[in-house]
Amino acid sequence: LKCFSVAVPSFWVAPGFSSAAMSLVRADHRGSRVSSAAGTRRGSTRRSSAVTAVSSTAGPRGMGPKKDPYKHLREFATGAILDEAEVVTLQTLWERIACGPGVAGGVGIEISTTWDPYRSKMAIRNGAKMMFVVVPVPRRAQAVRDVLVAGSAEYQRIIEVIEGYPSRIVLPRGLKADFLIMEPTTDRECFRMLLVDLRDRNMKREAANNVI
């Protein structure tokens, strides 16, 4: 597995966060084209062409069931089965989180534009003890809470939704994060400012570069 982290130069100083916050809100509104009621999570529209489904678990006749190599990903699928494209996307993310610094036994923050906090769920499956999902838009924040309520009791207990701008929130109960999971963005300036501010406000000093 290849691990990835983002090093934050010490000379970066965030001059202000209004533009970063607005960029995130705009991404939040336009990034998700589907509603939580549909049970979907990805911001991009699924391709119309059929993709070969990755669903077979039956082995040769008389040999019993074949071991499912994607069992760890199936709870994160957008539909009843995993297609090839989704397997690649989810497996890549799973590997990044599984070997991410600070994940095992740590407290994490997720910043994304999805309706289902599947990144936080993956972190929990890889040993994280607590996750905070930061959502600036009230409607989506409630939708994320509804997804958690409809899911397992474990997720309800250790994944907490914080409503507010990432540049302004403070983790409750005096907690500091060991790692941060951020959805990729093309707005590098927004990413830089959010990263610097979150590091200063909500991450342990020794975990400043633990970004997945």
Side-chain angles (χ1 to χ4, degrees), residues 8 16 27 38-39 45 57 59 62 65 67 76 81 101 108 115-116 121 126 153 187 190 197 204 206 208:
V8 183
T45 306
T57 57
K67 184 177 180 181
F76 312 117
I81 58 175
W115 298 83
D116 184 337
K121 293 178 179 179
N126 281 285
D187 190 337
C190 172
D197 199 42
K204 296 176 181 177
E206 64 273 20

Side-chain angles (χ1 to χ4, degrees), residues 7-23:
V8 183
S10 60
F11 58 81
W12 275 354
V13 178
F17 303 99
S18 58
S19 62
M22 289 305 298
S23 296

Side-chain angles (χ1 to χ4, degrees), residues 11 45 56 87 89 98 124 135 146 148 200:
F11 58 81
T45 306
S56 175
V87 164
T89 299
I124 297 299
V135 185
D146 292 342
L148 292 173
D200 294 341

